[in-house]
Each structure stands twice: as structure tokens, then as C-alpha cells.
Amino acid sequence: MAIQLNEDEQWVLLTNSMVMRFATVNPHGLPHVVPIWYLADREEGAVFFTTPEDSRKVRDLEETPKASLTVDEGAYYFDLRAVVAKGDVTRVTDEELAARIEREWCQKYFDEDERPEFMDLLYE
């Protein structure tokens, strides 16, 4: 019997967790699953992430713009909780929204308003 989280519980788990498992479909039709940092935004009803342009994720999404994600917690069977979602993935093109997401993402992971220099180096 599955335990169903209500919508509030789902957003709390999405908002408070630090890592999601993100799955795309590779050119061979197989899942490509990676742990990544993300930002859950209930107001937008979306989960956002950033990744280098030449990443496997981006190449997969250019071919098949569908993905799934899992955010979970718990170590013991009866403590396990998860949010699993799937759907279409789109690139954020609104500059104002992208800037807000970036600031909130930086606050979540670095407690700063801007991306630390070492992160820029990782993306080069």
C-alpha cells in the first residue's frame, strides 16, 4: 500500500530537499538518471534546474523534451517518502523569471544572491 502525500506535504518535501534525481531519455531510449540541485517554486508550479549547455541532460532534452524527477527522504522502509513527477521540460526564456530563479537557487545552496566563482568554472 502506497503512502500518498497531500499537495502541501509534496511541496514541503520538494522545497526542503537539496537533491533530486532527474531522468531523461538517452538516444538509445534508455533512462539517464542523475542527481542534481534544483529549485521548487510552488507559485510557478514548477521545478527548475540549471546545467551546462553541453550536458547529456540538455542533449537528451533537445531530442526528447520529457523527463521525470524524484525527490525522496528517509532511510528505513516505513520512513520513506517521495515526490515523483514527470512531464514536459521547457527552457526558461523570460529573463526576469530566470534572474529570480538564479537568485533563489543561489540562496538555497550558497546563502548568497550570486553564484560563487567556482560554480562558473564548473560550467566552462
Side-chain angles (χ1 to χ4, degrees):
M1 177 170 85
I3 297 171
Q4 295 289 322
L5 301 178
N6 66 38
E7 186 176 345
D8 289 336
E9 292 170 324
Q10 291 174 20
W11 281 106
V12 167
L13 180 57
L14 283 170
T15 302
N16 293 336
S17 296
M18 300 298 280
V19 176
M20 75 173 171
R21 279 98 178 130
F22 185 74
T24 56
V25 179
N26 75 17
H28 304 288
L30 298 171
H32 172 73
V33 183
V34 293
I36 61 173
W37 288 353
Y38 69 96
L39 179 71
D41 187 321
R42 188 171 188 174
E43 184 177 310
E44 293 288 332
V47 175
F48 300 99
F49 67 94
T50 180
T51 191
E53 285 291 322
D54 64 345
S55 71
R56 172 84 265 155
K57 293 179 290 299
V58 170
R59 292 193 309 271
D60 289 347
L61 291 168
E62 286 172 343
E63 189 169 319
T64 306
K66 297 185 180 301
S68 67
L69 66 85
T70 300
V71 175
D72 61 337
E73 69 178 5
Y76 300 100
Y77 185 79
F78 292 105
D79 296 330
L80 295 175
R81 297 166 17 114
V83 173
V84 178
K86 57 186 173 235
D88 297 326
V89 178
T90 58
R91 184 182 301 262
V92 173
T93 57
D94 179 291
E95 291 181 19
E96 189 175 307
L97 176 60
R100 181 178 64 79
I101 293 165
E102 175 73 9
R103 276 190 312 278
E104 291 178 18
W105 184 84
C106 289
Q107 278 292 320
K108 178 178 179 177
Y109 291 101
F110 308 110
D111 200 25
E112 298 178 16
D113 286 336
E114 295 180 355
R115 188 179 295 241
E117 185 176 329
F118 75 86
M119 286 299 294
D120 291 333
L121 296 174
L122 290 174
Y123 278 54
E124 290 180 5

